[in-house]
Amino acid sequence: MVHVLSGRTLIRPTDPERSRAFYGGQLGLAVHREFGEGPERGTVYFLGGGFLELSGRAEAPLVPSVRLWLQVADAAAARDELRAAGVEIVREPVREPWGLIEMWIADPDGIPIVLVEIPADHPLRYRPGI
């Protein structure tokens, strides 16, 4: 069995500067490190227990099967902060039949991003007796 210490998601954006403005500026992700120089430099952001790396350049956006799932403490507060930062909300926060609260946005290349709030009474968080 492999013991994973950390994970990383790699995205090759069509416009690295635009994507840095989105992830670093509008989403407010903190920079872990940068490498290279100029507009093509790579930027690695902290992403909870892992990292999101913007590196290189793609000729076309990624296939639609790629999605990012980011957990937030409060989806409604995240919506308000993101809207104030100019991020388009694709779908407002909704409590799904499985109990999670999900809100959808997209990055500049159209990569779907699901922001998920796990309510205190959800089985992913609620553990009786603990």
Side-chain angles (χ1 to χ4, degrees):
M1 178 196 269
V2 176
H3 180 71
V4 177
L5 298 177
S6 153
R8 176 170 291 169
T9 300
L10 172 64
I11 295 176
R12 297 208 187 280
T14 57
D15 182 339
E17 287 293 335
R18 181 181 69 174
S19 291
R20 269 190 287 280
F22 176 78
Y23 286 103
Q26 292 180 290
L27 291 190
L29 298 180
V31 173
H32 170 62
R33 69 183 183 91
E34 292 188 289
F35 55 92
E37 297 179 358
E40 301 298 316
R41 74 187 180 280
T43 304
V44 180
Y45 295 97
F46 285 105
L47 198 58
F51 301 97
L52 173 69
E53 179 176 330
L54 301 179
S55 179
R57 179 184 293 268
E59 294 300 317
L62 293 172
V63 295
S65 63
V66 173
R67 299 207 178 353
L68 292 177
W69 193 87
L70 306 175
Q71 185 176 337
V72 296
D74 183 333
R79 176 204 51 219
D80 295 344
E81 290 174 27
L82 292 172
R83 186 173 282 140
V87 175
E88 178 186 353
I89 307 302
V90 174
R91 194 185 85 172
E92 294 287 325
V94 172
R95 187 168 191 137
E96 300 291 355
W98 46 89
L100 300 176
I101 299 169
E102 296 185 6
M103 175 179 72
W104 302 346
I105 62 174
D107 90 343
D109 283 325
I111 295 173
I113 300 171
V114 180
L115 290 111
V116 178
E117 174 186 339
I118 302 173
D121 63 345
H122 192 278
L124 289 174
R125 287 185 55 188
Y126 179 71
R127 294 180 283 182
I130 295 179

